[in-house]
Amino acid sequence: MKREFELKTTVVEYDSVGELTDQQQELMRRAHESGDKAYAPYSNFYVGAALLLKNGKIITGNNQENIAYPSGLCAERTAIFSAGARYPDESIEIMAITARSTEFKVDKPISPCGACRQVIAEYELRHSNNIKILLMGEVGSVYEIASIKELLPLVFNEKGLRS
Ligand code: THU
């Protein structure tokens, strides 16, 4: 029998970064700082990510582009893989992501690409915890998302690999 069901995504929006907790504001500040060091000569779109680990450490990353375009990497995965390489046993608690462009004002939150969503999902699974995601542009409102499951419903995970 044919059945239709809907999947709900919840996003909390704050008018400005000043409404976040001090710790979250610091994380977003670190994401902006990291974005300034991105290597983005092809898109001129500078993305920064800052991760808060369970042990309190902050790991940052930014997008690294390449003349062979697909060889580049997004800020989110640069940061996550760095955290995974340096602190394999620490879960990621919060992830702050921000972007600016030299061509226009990024005044809305930017959202992780599909490949980054899959990688974030893997790290939630790896450490059995939800990763809170905070998204913003250069200025403007902030989106808070409780887990990547909100952004990647019907995620492919290890359950799909086994009977
Ligand atoms: N980019 C990121 O780093 N993260 C995102 O969430 C979206 C896109 C990068 C990839 C590329 O270097 C540039 O932004 C333009 O797509």
PDB file of all heavy atoms in Angstrom, residues 43 45 47 63 65 73-76 110-113, ligand 1:
ATOM      1  N   SER A  43      36.549  30.998  -5.630  1.00  0.00           N
ATOM      2  CA  SER A  43      35.165  31.390  -5.332  1.00  0.00           C
ATOM      3  C   SER A  43      35.088  32.742  -4.629  1.00  0.00           C
ATOM      4  O   SER A  43      34.022  33.360  -4.594  1.00  0.00           O
ATOM      5  CB  SER A  43      34.510  30.336  -4.434  1.00  0.00           C
ATOM      6  OG  SER A  43      35.078  30.375  -3.139  1.00  0.00           O
ATOM      7  N   PHE A  45      34.860  33.027  -1.668  1.00  0.00           N
ATOM      8  CA  PHE A  45      33.893  32.756  -0.606  1.00  0.00           C
ATOM      9  C   PHE A  45      34.675  32.113   0.536  1.00  0.00           C
ATOM     10  O   PHE A  45      35.189  31.002   0.401  1.00  0.00           O
ATOM     11  CB  PHE A  45      32.819  31.806  -1.160  1.00  0.00           C
ATOM     12  CG  PHE A  45      31.557  31.740  -0.362  1.00  0.00           C
ATOM     13  CD1 PHE A  45      30.701  32.828  -0.285  1.00  0.00           C
ATOM     14  CD2 PHE A  45      31.207  30.566   0.298  1.00  0.00           C
ATOM     15  CE1 PHE A  45      29.519  32.758   0.440  1.00  0.00           C
ATOM     16  CE2 PHE A  45      30.032  30.494   1.032  1.00  0.00           C
ATOM     17  CZ  PHE A  45      29.182  31.595   1.094  1.00  0.00           C
ATOM     18  N   VAL A  47      34.958  30.559   4.079  1.00  0.00           N
ATOM     19  CA  VAL A  47      34.140  29.870   5.083  1.00  0.00           C
ATOM     20  C   VAL A  47      35.028  29.467   6.260  1.00  0.00           C
ATOM     21  O   VAL A  47      36.156  28.992   6.071  1.00  0.00           O
ATOM     22  CB  VAL A  47      33.463  28.614   4.479  1.00  0.00           C
ATOM     23  CG1 VAL A  47      32.488  27.988   5.476  1.00  0.00           C
ATOM     24  CG2 VAL A  47      32.731  28.961   3.184  1.00  0.00           C
ATOM     25  N   ASN A  63      37.878  26.690   4.292  1.00  0.00           N
ATOM     26  CA  ASN A  63      37.889  26.020   2.986  1.00  0.00           C
ATOM     27  C   ASN A  63      39.235  26.190   2.292  1.00  0.00           C
ATOM     28  O   ASN A  63      39.859  27.252   2.354  1.00  0.00           O
ATOM     29  CB  ASN A  63      36.720  26.458   2.095  1.00  0.00           C
ATOM     30  CG  ASN A  63      36.552  27.945   1.954  1.00  0.00           C
ATOM     31  OD1 ASN A  63      36.829  28.711   2.870  1.00  0.00           O
ATOM     32  ND2 ASN A  63      36.079  28.370   0.796  1.00  0.00           N
ATOM     33  N   GLU A  65      40.760  25.640  -1.361  1.00  0.00           N
ATOM     34  CA  GLU A  65      40.397  25.372  -2.762  1.00  0.00           C
ATOM     35  C   GLU A  65      41.609  24.905  -3.570  1.00  0.00           C
ATOM     36  O   GLU A  65      42.748  24.962  -3.108  1.00  0.00           O
ATOM     37  CB  GLU A  65      39.763  26.633  -3.365  1.00  0.00           C
ATOM     38  CG  GLU A  65      38.482  26.993  -2.629  1.00  0.00           C
ATOM     39  CD  GLU A  65      37.711  28.133  -3.270  1.00  0.00           C
ATOM     40  OE1 GLU A  65      38.237  28.815  -4.174  1.00  0.00           O
ATOM     41  OE2 GLU A  65      36.553  28.349  -2.840  1.00  0.00           O
ATOM     42  N   LEU A  73      38.583  21.387  -0.379  1.00  0.00           N
ATOM     43  CA  LEU A  73      37.775  20.864   0.732  1.00  0.00           C
ATOM     44  C   LEU A  73      37.066  22.003   1.456  1.00  0.00           C
ATOM     45  O   LEU A  73      37.632  23.086   1.638  1.00  0.00           O
ATOM     46  CB  LEU A  73      38.673  20.097   1.717  1.00  0.00           C
ATOM     47  CG  LEU A  73      37.943  19.144   2.672  1.00  0.00           C
ATOM     48  CD1 LEU A  73      37.251  18.013   1.911  1.00  0.00           C
ATOM     49  CD2 LEU A  73      38.902  18.554   3.689  1.00  0.00           C
ATOM     50  N   CYS A  74      35.850  21.731   1.890  1.00  0.00           N
ATOM     51  CA  CYS A  74      35.058  22.713   2.645  1.00  0.00           C
ATOM     52  C   CYS A  74      35.641  22.918   4.044  1.00  0.00           C
ATOM     53  O   CYS A  74      36.320  22.039   4.591  1.00  0.00           O
ATOM     54  CB  CYS A  74      33.625  22.218   2.811  1.00  0.00           C
ATOM     55  SG  CYS A  74      32.694  22.065   1.298  1.00  0.00           S
ATOM     56  N   ALA A  75      35.271  24.051   4.616  1.00  0.00           N
ATOM     57  CA  ALA A  75      35.707  24.394   5.973  1.00  0.00           C
ATOM     58  C   ALA A  75      35.274  23.340   6.997  1.00  0.00           C
ATOM     59  O   ALA A  75      36.033  22.975   7.898  1.00  0.00           O
ATOM     60  CB  ALA A  75      35.122  25.744   6.352  1.00  0.00           C
ATOM     61  N   GLU A  76      34.055  22.871   6.851  1.00  0.00           N
ATOM     62  CA  GLU A  76      33.501  21.932   7.841  1.00  0.00           C
ATOM     63  C   GLU A  76      34.340  20.659   7.913  1.00  0.00           C
ATOM     64  O   GLU A  76      34.697  20.181   8.980  1.00  0.00           O
ATOM     65  CB  GLU A  76      32.057  21.556   7.477  1.00  0.00           C
ATOM     66  CG  GLU A  76      31.060  22.688   7.601  1.00  0.00           C
ATOM     67  CD  GLU A  76      30.915  23.525   6.342  1.00  0.00           C
ATOM     68  OE1 GLU A  76      31.901  23.647   5.578  1.00  0.00           O
ATOM     69  OE2 GLU A  76      29.828  24.075   6.132  1.00  0.00           O
ATOM     70  N   ILE A 110      24.802  30.353   6.066  1.00  0.00           N
ATOM     71  CA  ILE A 110      25.060  29.397   4.988  1.00  0.00           C
ATOM     72  C   ILE A 110      24.999  28.003   5.603  1.00  0.00           C
ATOM     73  O   ILE A 110      25.265  27.803   6.789  1.00  0.00           O
ATOM     74  CB  ILE A 110      26.396  29.630   4.268  1.00  0.00           C
ATOM     75  CG1 ILE A 110      27.576  29.391   5.217  1.00  0.00           C
ATOM     76  CG2 ILE A 110      26.457  31.010   3.648  1.00  0.00           C
ATOM     77  CD1 ILE A 110      28.663  28.612   4.597  1.00  0.00           C
ATOM     78  N   SER A 111      24.660  27.064   4.786  1.00  0.00           N
ATOM     79  CA  SER A 111      24.348  25.726   5.268  1.00  0.00           C
ATOM     80  C   SER A 111      25.338  24.716   4.682  1.00  0.00           C
ATOM     81  O   SER A 111      25.731  24.858   3.520  1.00  0.00           O
ATOM     82  CB  SER A 111      22.923  25.432   4.810  1.00  0.00           C
ATOM     83  OG  SER A 111      22.377  24.381   5.518  1.00  0.00           O
ATOM     84  N   PRO A 112      25.756  23.724   5.463  1.00  0.00           N
ATOM     85  CA  PRO A 112      26.770  22.775   4.956  1.00  0.00           C
ATOM     86  C   PRO A 112      26.306  22.007   3.722  1.00  0.00           C
ATOM     87  O   PRO A 112      25.123  21.677   3.594  1.00  0.00           O
ATOM     88  CB  PRO A 112      26.994  21.814   6.124  1.00  0.00           C
ATOM     89  CG  PRO A 112      26.119  22.228   7.221  1.00  0.00           C
ATOM     90  CD  PRO A 112      25.337  23.429   6.822  1.00  0.00           C
ATOM     91  N   CYS A 113      27.242  21.711   2.834  1.00  0.00           N
ATOM     92  CA  CYS A 113      26.913  20.959   1.615  1.00  0.00           C
ATOM     93  C   CYS A 113      26.598  19.503   1.985  1.00  0.00           C
ATOM     94  O   CYS A 113      26.835  19.059   3.113  1.00  0.00           O
ATOM     95  CB  CYS A 113      28.072  21.020   0.619  1.00  0.00           C
ATOM     96  SG  CYS A 113      29.438  19.925   1.033  1.00  0.00           S
TER      97      CYS A 113
HETATM   98  N1  THU B   1      32.119  25.894   1.185  1.00  0.00           N
HETATM   99  C1  THU B   1      32.437  25.531   2.459  1.00  0.00           C
HETATM  100  O1  THU B   1      33.604  25.516   2.855  1.00  0.00           O
HETATM  101  N2  THU B   1      31.417  25.180   3.280  1.00  0.00           N
HETATM  102  C2  THU B   1      30.102  25.255   2.961  1.00  0.00           C
HETATM  103  O2  THU B   1      29.257  24.959   3.798  1.00  0.00           O
HETATM  104  C3  THU B   1      29.689  25.672   1.623  1.00  0.00           C
HETATM  105  C4  THU B   1      30.780  25.887   0.645  1.00  0.00           C
HETATM  106  C5  THU B   1      33.209  26.318   0.303  1.00  0.00           C
HETATM  107  C6  THU B   1      33.558  25.392  -0.806  1.00  0.00           C
HETATM  108  C7  THU B   1      34.185  26.349  -1.801  1.00  0.00           C
HETATM  109  O3  THU B   1      35.546  26.536  -1.441  1.00  0.00           O
HETATM  110  C8  THU B   1      33.452  27.657  -1.560  1.00  0.00           C
HETATM  111  O4  THU B   1      32.856  27.555  -0.296  1.00  0.00           O
HETATM  112  C9  THU B   1      32.379  27.951  -2.590  1.00  0.00           C
HETATM  113  O5  THU B   1      31.493  26.908  -2.717  1.00  0.00           O
END
